[in-house]
Each structure stands twice: as C-alpha cells, then as structure tokens.
Amino acid sequence: MVGKWAISAYDSTDTRNSKKTNQCATTMGTERDATSWSKGRLRELLVGITVENEAGRCEISELKQVEGEASCSSRKGKLIFFYEWNIKLGWKGIIRESGAKHKGLIEIPSLSEENEVDDTEVNVSKKKGDGDILKDLMKTAGTAKVREALGDYLKALKTEFTMGMILPTKAMAAQELTVERKLSENTLQIQASSRVALGVRIPTVALHMTELFDTAIEQLYRIFTVKDLVQKFSKSPAVLEAEKGGKFQMFDGNITGEYTELLTNKKIVMKWRCRNWPEEHYAIVALNFVPTLQQTELQLDCKGVPVCEEENMKFCWQKQHFEEIKGLLQLTTLNG
C-alpha cells in the first residue's frame, strides 16, 4: 500500500496512450508517466517559499491547484520530456509596521517545455484592501524564487526521475550482466523473476523506515486493514481482503498486491507493486507494530524496490502515508 503519489509517481492519468508500458529500465520507445511524481515534487519545492524586506514578510502557504501532466520517453537512446502544468498557489504575508496580515494568489498558467523557465508567466494577486506593498514583494522577490523552484523541478525531472531509462545496447547489456553476476548481494539485490528487454535484470534496493504514532497498537493496525479507514487516509477508493492470500487494490488501481502474512496487531506482510513498475515485478513490504510508552512504533521494511523508485517510495510513505495517518488520528481524537 502506498500514498497518493505524489508525493505521488502513481497517477493513472495517461491521456496520450494508455497501452504504453512504464518501466524503470524501459525498452526503446516506451514512456514513463511522471505526473504524480511531479505533483509531489512541485508541492515540496513551492510550498514554504518565503521572501521578506524592511516592509514585510510573505510565504507561499498552500498549493491550491496543480493540473496537467508530465512524462519522459526513451527514443533511440535519447530522453524526450513532455510537461504541461497549470499551477495555483496561496500566499500570506504580514506588514512589519502595522502587523496587518494579507493573503493572495500566485497563478502559473502554463509551465511547459515550449518556454524557458525565466519566461514562464507568474501572476500575483491579492484580496481587496490594503497591502499592495506585500503584493509588490511577491511580484519581485517572490516571482524570482518561484521560477528558481520551477527550475529545480525540471532539473530533478531530467536527472532523478529518469535514472535507468536509457536502455543499453545488446553489447552493453551483455557486459552489464557479467558485471552484475560479480556483485555482492550486500551491494545490489537482483530480482531474478523481474526481467526487461535484452535480458537485463532489474537492480533493486531495500528500504527501512520507522515512525511513531500517538495511538494504541490496535487502532494503528486497523488503519491498515479496514477498508473505510484506508480510504479515509488515502482519500481514494480501495479494495481490501485483509487475510492471507487476499488481494488489495488502492488509488484507482495504481497500487495492487496480496497479503502474505497477517499477525493481528503485530505484523503485516504484502506482495506490493505500483502500476508503472516493470511487469510482474513485486516488492515485499513488511509492517511491524511495536508498542512503546503511550505510542506505537511502526517499522517498515521493504525489499525489491526498483533503484530508480527509491526516493519516490520514501517520499510517498513519509508524506502520503505516515503524515496522512497522523492527520486521520488527530481527526478521530477531535471527534471523540
């Protein structure tokens, strides 16, 4: 199970060709959907930007809207990028002298590969009333920082997201396979059942994460095994058969898998995959529930994650799983 990726690379949107297969190490002429990964990265880079001067201080406080799509294609050994975004941000500020607070919007109507970042349109507005001094600050220093963040997003799209996308030639593949056979299992995990074109095996990594939750172990276990609770924290439909051999499907089918072990209030083990992973490739996700003083520690161990999805997985579990679950727990407490 995993959050809305963004944070999440698990968006099912592909308006151009739903038959294309996304893979970590893609075959020539295939495409990877970067839509959800991009939404998470844009949020991370834009929300929290601050600017200030002697007159006041402003901060981008909210990502109100991010509409569009992004993808990367491998064509004859070259990477081709497509992205088109309509972004709306909320900002707030305070005037130093009077202490007056004001709010406004930043709209980026068209971030695309057709324009340079420095030429991207950034429109700043605010609610009626005084406070134009803050609006001017956002128009100047704020706009510059927004464009800088957009540039960082594009750099990440063209480097971090595309790791492993250019498929090696047959000669390179044979050489790489020879090298892989010599690698220690401690430095690289190879999933024998997951192969891509030319016989190149998929390099994988293992992840370990821990998180503390202010709730009883029984409640935290239920959040991962009760359909209604899963739908609440993931904010999307889910299908769950929480029993050994039972299937699960989340986020409009972008995450699927099977329960392989369930020890009530102690442990959950799953075969787990994202739709854009190489066909038939599964990771093994183990959740261990450990009681502590008035809290529950969740220990996550995940083996078999494609190398190029490592950062996406970490971001997804931390932001769209752990933080969303904590929000649900707070809501439950407030509602009694």
Side-chain angles (χ1 to χ4, degrees):
M1 296 181 294
V2 74
K4 279 183 179 177
W5 217 342
I7 353 10
S8 195
Y10 301 140
D11 196 303
S12 61
T13 304
D14 187 348
T15 58
R16 291 178 303 283
N17 191 341
S18 60
K19 294 182 180 179
K20 293 180 180 178
T21 301
N22 296 320
Q23 295 186 163
C24 182
T26 62
T27 55
M28 194 170 296
T30 60
E31 177 180 294
R32 287 185 65 198
D33 182 10
T35 301
S36 287
W37 176 89
S38 294
K39 289 179 179 180
R41 185 48 58 91
L42 286 167
R43 180 187 298 276
E44 179 185 3
L45 291 169
L46 291 168
V47 176
I49 287 177
T50 59
V51 290
E52 57 185 312
N53 58 16
E54 65 280 358
R57 182 181 186 276
C58 297
E59 176 185 354
I60 295 178
S61 57
E62 183 181 3
L63 179 62
K64 288 181 170 290
Q65 172 184 299
V66 54
E67 294 181 343
E69 58 183 324
S71 63
C72 178
S73 302
S74 173
R75 298 286 188 272
K76 298 181 180 179
K78 295 182 179 180
L79 295 177
I80 301 171
F81 298 91
F82 170 85
Y83 53 92
E84 187 172 11
W85 295 106
N86 182 337
I87 302 168
K88 184 181 294 185
L89 303 159
W91 65 268
K92 59 184 180 181
I94 183 169
I95 299 176
R96 293 189 189 280
E97 183 175 349
S98 65
K101 297 179 180 180
H102 298 275
K103 295 181 179 181
L105 295 175
I106 296 176
E107 296 181 84
I108 306 165
S110 182
L111 172 66
S112 73
E113 75 278 4
E114 296 179 0
N115 301 306
E116 296 293 331
V117 171
D118 290 342
D119 298 326
T120 299
E121 185 178 355
V122 179
N123 300 320
V124 178
S125 62
K126 73 167 192 64
K127 293 185 176 181
K128 294 180 180 180
D130 298 330
D132 285 340
I133 194 168
L134 296 178
K135 178 181 175 182
D136 292 340
L137 177 59
M138 290 303 296
K139 275 189 173 182
T140 52
T143 293
K145 282 203 172 184
V146 165
R147 288 194 172 123
E148 181 181 349
L150 296 177
D152 290 341
Y153 155 68
L154 295 180
K155 289 178 185 177
L157 175 65
K158 296 177 181 180
T159 54
E160 176 186 322
F161 180 77
T162 58
M163 287 178 61
M165 278 202 66
I166 300 179
L167 189 70
T169 62
K170 290 184 178 180
M172 291 173 62
Q175 182 179 11
E176 185 181 46
L177 191 57
T178 300
V179 172
E180 285 179 351
R181 289 190 181 120
K182 297 178 182 179
L183 291 175
S184 167
E185 291 183 0
N186 293 330
T187 59
L188 184 65
Q189 297 178 359
I190 301 299
Q191 296 291 326
S193 63
S194 301
R195 298 173 179 266
V196 292
L198 305 183
V200 181
R201 294 178 178 179
I202 300 168
T204 63
V205 294
L207 303 180
H208 176 75
M209 301 173 70
T210 62
E211 193 76 14
L212 283 173
F213 294 86
D214 294 324
T215 189
I217 198 168
E218 294 83 2
Q219 177 66 0
L220 187 60
Y221 185 88
R222 290 183 73 247
I223 286 177
F224 283 94
T225 54
V226 176
K227 177 180 175 180
D228 288 345
L229 295 176
V230 170
Q231 292 183 149
K232 283 182 179 179
F233 86 75
S234 66
K235 300 181 176 65
S236 65
V239 177
L240 269 77
E241 300 172 1
E243 58 185 33
K244 186 175 181 179
K247 309 294 185 182
F248 63 82
Q249 179 175 305
M250 301 171 60
F251 304 102
D252 298 320
N254 287 296
I255 301 303
T256 55
E258 178 182 323
Y259 294 100
T260 59
E261 182 180 358
L262 293 102
L263 298 177
T264 303
N265 301 329
K266 292 182 179 181
K267 186 175 184 179
I268 300 173
V269 182
M270 302 166 283
K271 288 176 58 180
W272 186 101
R273 65 172 272 105
C274 172
R275 178 181 286 173
N276 70 338
W277 285 9
E279 188 175 357
E280 297 303 319
H281 179 81
Y282 286 83
I284 300 300
V285 174
L287 301 175
N288 288 283
F289 301 81
V290 181
T292 62
L293 185 61
Q294 297 182 334
Q295 291 181 312
T296 299
E297 180 180 86
L298 180 64
Q299 299 175 351
L300 178 138
D301 289 286
C302 187
K303 297 179 181 180
V305 178
V307 167
C308 61
E309 297 291 347
E310 179 179 5
E311 292 305 315
N312 285 344
M313 280 284 284
K314 290 179 181 178
F315 182 83
C316 174
W317 277 95
Q318 185 62 49
K319 298 294 183 181
Q320 303 301 322
H321 246 86
F322 297 160
E323 292 187 10
E324 292 292 340
I325 288 173
K326 287 182 178 181
L328 175 60
L329 289 170
Q330 289 179 352
L331 183 63
T332 302
T333 301
L334 290 174
N335 291 337

